[in-house]
Amino acid sequence: MFHNSRERSMNFSDGVFAVILTVLVLEIKPPTGDLSLYSTSWRTFGYLILIYIASFSLVSTY
């Protein structure tokens, strides 16, 4: 009855991680307002991208 239970749990955890990574991407909003490269909105956007890369690498190692 529980022949492939380990494989099923690994597939489930892979699916959960895929959903987590997708939600992380959806939280990143493109900058609006002043479009100069050194504006506050672009710096905030850069920080969000760096945080996403760090969290992606952390989650993908699990």
Side-chain angles (χ1 to χ4, degrees), residues 2-57:
F2 298 105
H3 185 271
N4 293 329
S5 63
R6 179 180 169 128
E7 183 178 332
R8 293 178 96 190
S9 66
M10 291 192 57
N11 288 337
F12 178 75
S13 67
D14 287 345
V16 169
F17 288 140
V19 169
I20 290 171
L21 292 174
T22 303
V23 170
L24 285 172
V25 168
L26 293 177
E27 291 295 318
I28 298 175
K29 306 286 188 233
T32 57
D34 187 17
L35 295 179
S36 66
L37 189 58
Y38 297 107
S39 67
T40 306
S41 61
W42 279 102
R43 279 188 270 163
T44 305
F45 183 69
Y47 291 139
L48 288 175
I49 294 295
L50 288 175
I51 290 170
Y52 173 74
I53 291 170
S55 59
F56 180 86
S57 62

